[in-house]
Amino acid sequence: MARRLYEQVRRLPIVSPHGHTDPAWFALDRPFSDPASLLIVPDHYVFRMLYSQGVPLEALGVPRRDGGAVELDSRAIWRLFAKHWHLFRGTPSRLWLTQTMVDVFGIDERLTIDSADRIHDHIAACLARPEFRPRALFERFDIEVLTTTDDPRDPLRHHQTIRQSGWKGRVTPGFRPDSVVDPEAAGFADRVAQLGEMTGERSDTWSGYLRALASRRRYFASLGATSTDHGHPTAQTFDLPRAECEALFAGALTGSLSPAEAERFRGQMLTEMARLSIEDGLVMQLHPGAWRNHNPRLFEAFGADKGADIPVPTNYVRALKPLLDRFGNDPRLTLIVFTLDESAYARELAPLAGHYPALRLGPAWWFFDSPDGMRRYREQVTETAGFYNTVGFNDDTRAFMSIPARHDMARRVDCAFLAERVAQHRLDEDEAGELAVDLAYNLVRRAYKL
Ligand SMILES: [Zn+2]
């Protein structure tokens, strides 16, 4: 039954509403340079595992902040990776990378120390061919739309180039304002000043700052953006009196906020962003609960996004209440919430999403973007939130080559889950077929207005 359901969805186009691919790839359409810098160097799932087993990041070609020496030879990096391939047994990385090697590059042997050079050279030869350029792969992967993640200060030149190029691939920007709403991020005041210069608004006043953000949101929307994304440390929201907002903003600019005040400011900004979403229609995503850069020594040497982000318990019921009190009943708002705290699925998130019209539940995310993680997600949320308060799958990836494998995994897991419900006479098979298509394709387009 699962196979029958899967046959109905396996060839549906990919809708990728949230991810971290580089728009320059599709604007410039240059060949990817080599196997290691495509598949190993940018993949934090890969190098965090190797690092945990004692492989230094320098040996994997991860650039150091001080410009110090790191391995640059693709073959040497690939060999080291092959030598440690067994570490990925039982992990989704093993499945994504295997499927990428087989389906994208047509490799028919297992990665071992002996096959490493052959596989490396085969991939390198593929990358030199026109059908492995970014746009050709985008078309081969049958991606209907792909959203990137972009800073509000980004002029979006690559997105403009893509739109003006006449290429029919649809790549849209995503508005990610963390760097200009988090007063604890170094350089906050400079970036806010930059926002003012870009928009002609007095961004050193609370109201001018909000107008500057609204203006950048409209600019993003003019280039196809349909959503915003907020990577806050917690899900905390606030709805504070104006005088307190102004005082917090002044303190944010001078860098004088206490950690608790910075949290109040970030929480207020989520509510402000929800208000702007109701005005401009951008769908809002909240990705809380990661303790970023948990390993200070690694952060010092290599910077952010190096596999050292660790989940922390996250509260939603109390934290979201100020925002929901104000906008939770407004059907013009779509707030899609994610979690790294699985204990919140059944206890908090499914009940919230199963009640508030503005709230939807994002898919199993990051550490739970895996067969078992997706299954636990469906098991814990479906009975309370149903399927239709969820929003389909998103790959959230920098690893472009793995996008088909990731979406395929989600489709397989969902079909298996649905088939089980049919076998238990809790769903009819035609309903399951309809659901399979909704989960793979319709829900995501609807939720993200794509
Ligand atoms: Zn993301």
Side-chain angles (χ1 to χ4, degrees):
M1 231 175 315
R3 284 174 187 274
R4 276 207 297 276
L5 293 170
Y6 174 63
E7 279 308 314
Q8 297 180 53
V9 297
R10 64 182 299 190
R11 290 184 212 291
L12 287 174
I14 288 175
V15 176
S16 175
H18 175 109
H20 300 269
T21 54
D22 185 347
W25 295 338
F26 312 109
L28 308 174
D29 201 31
R30 292 190 184 131
F32 292 109
S33 58
D34 60 77
S37 63
L38 178 63
L39 298 171
I40 314 289
V41 181
D43 192 335
H44 59 77
Y45 289 85
V46 169
F47 55 68
R48 80 190 300 275
M49 177 63 87
L50 296 172
Y51 186 78
S52 78
Q53 288 279 314
V55 179
L57 294 191
E58 286 89 344
L60 293 162
V62 179
R64 288 184 57 94
R65 289 167 103 182
D66 63 7
V70 303
E71 181 60 66
L72 296 173
D73 179 40
S74 173
R75 184 188 301 278
I77 296 167
W78 188 263
R79 278 183 186 159
L80 189 62
F81 169 61
K83 190 177 154 205
H84 294 89
W85 182 225
H86 62 282
L87 300 178
F88 295 94
R89 289 172 181 164
T91 72
S93 292
R94 150 78 176 250
L95 302 175
W96 296 327
L97 283 156
T98 301
Q99 197 165 341
T100 299
M101 286 192 266
V102 173
D103 288 352
V104 181
F105 295 105
I107 291 161
D108 57 6
E109 59 180 333
R110 187 188 284 180
L111 181 61
T112 62
I113 300 174
D114 292 332
S115 68
D117 276 15
R118 265 195 311 280
I119 291 177
H120 177 272
D121 294 349
H122 175 82
I123 295 174
C126 286
L127 296 179
R129 292 179 6 215
E131 61 266 36
F132 285 86
R133 295 244 182 126
R135 287 184 181 183
L137 285 173
F138 187 102
E139 288 162 14
R140 178 175 153 200
F141 293 166
D142 197 13
I143 298 175
E144 184 172 297
V145 53
L146 178 86
T147 301
T148 61
T149 299
D150 307 273
D151 189 278
R153 296 161 304 138
D154 192 315
L156 303 180
R157 292 215 178 82
H158 293 308
H159 285 277
Q160 286 174 336
T161 305
I162 293 165
R163 288 167 79 89
Q164 289 158 5
S165 69
W167 177 54
K168 63 175 173 45
R170 186 171 168 208
V171 180
T172 59
F175 186 83
R176 174 80 175 249
D178 299 355
S179 73
V180 292
V181 304
D182 181 4
E184 291 183 310
F188 172 77
D190 292 341
R191 286 193 291 271
V192 170
Q194 212 181 322
L195 270 188
E197 285 159 29
M198 295 181 85
T199 56
E201 299 288 352
R202 283 284 311 275
S203 66
D204 56 345
T205 67
W206 171 242
S207 55
Y209 166 66
L210 294 178
R211 279 198 305 274
L213 287 167
S215 162
R216 293 307 291 166
R217 292 170 59 111
R218 284 194 298 274
Y219 177 70
F220 271 57
S222 77
L223 288 171
T226 67
S227 60
T228 71
D229 181 35
H230 307 273
H232 286 213
T234 72
Q236 189 62 58
T237 64
F238 286 101
D239 188 15
L240 303 169
R242 187 183 172 88
E244 186 176 348
C245 296
E246 287 173 346
L248 286 171
F249 181 61
L253 288 183
T254 56
S256 58
L257 297 186
S258 67
E261 288 168 330
E263 177 74 346
R264 286 174 85 75
F265 184 79
R266 281 189 298 265
Q268 179 66 28
M269 288 313 296
L270 286 178
T271 305
E272 299 294 342
M273 288 289 145
R275 178 179 61 76
L276 292 174
S277 277
I278 286 170
E279 284 173 18
D280 61 25
L282 294 182
V283 170
M284 184 172 179
Q285 304 171 90
L286 178 57
H287 284 89
W291 182 327
R292 304 269 172 186
N293 312 313
H294 191 268
N295 181 342
R297 205 181 292 175
L298 193 98
F299 178 70
E300 220 170 278
F302 298 96
D305 303 321
K306 294 298 177 288
D309 301 343
I310 310 290
V312 287
T314 305
N315 173 276
Y316 293 87
V317 173
R318 283 173 215 285
L320 290 177
K321 189 163 176 19
L323 188 154
L324 292 173
D325 280 350
R326 195 145 159 218
F327 301 121
N329 299 295
D330 194 325
R332 293 172 298 172
L333 177 66
T334 303
L335 171 59
I336 300 171
V337 183
F338 297 76
T339 194
L340 287 176
D341 178 357
E342 286 188 301
S343 75
Y345 279 149
R347 187 186 65 239
E348 303 188 25
L349 288 169
L352 284 166
H355 169 68
Y356 281 102
L359 211 57
R360 295 287 181 271
L361 199 46
W365 174 43
W366 197 341
F367 295 97
F368 313 125
D369 180 0
S370 64
D372 293 340
M374 289 177 191
R375 178 145 196 108
R376 287 195 297 272
Y377 166 81
R378 290 285 177 217
E379 282 169 352
Q380 292 193 40
V381 310
T382 307
E383 289 180 323
T384 302
F387 291 104
Y388 291 91
N389 282 305
T390 65
V391 299
F393 178 68
N394 74 56
D395 53 73
D396 196 6
T397 191
R398 295 160 214 282
F400 180 50
M401 297 293 156
S402 75
I403 286 179
R406 290 173 193 245
H407 286 259
D408 188 57
M409 184 189 285
R411 291 173 187 190
R412 288 170 187 267
V413 172
D414 281 341
C415 288
F417 182 79
L418 291 168
E420 195 179 285
R421 263 100 207 116
V422 177
Q424 295 166 343
H425 303 271
R426 296 159 75 183
L427 277 178
D428 292 336
E429 191 168 347
D430 64 318
E431 292 178 293
E434 205 175 286
L435 271 164
V437 175
D438 286 341
L439 298 182
Y441 184 69
N442 292 324
L443 280 177
V444 63
R445 290 177 70 219
R446 211 176 298 155
Y448 284 87
K449 303 180 183 174
L450 286 165

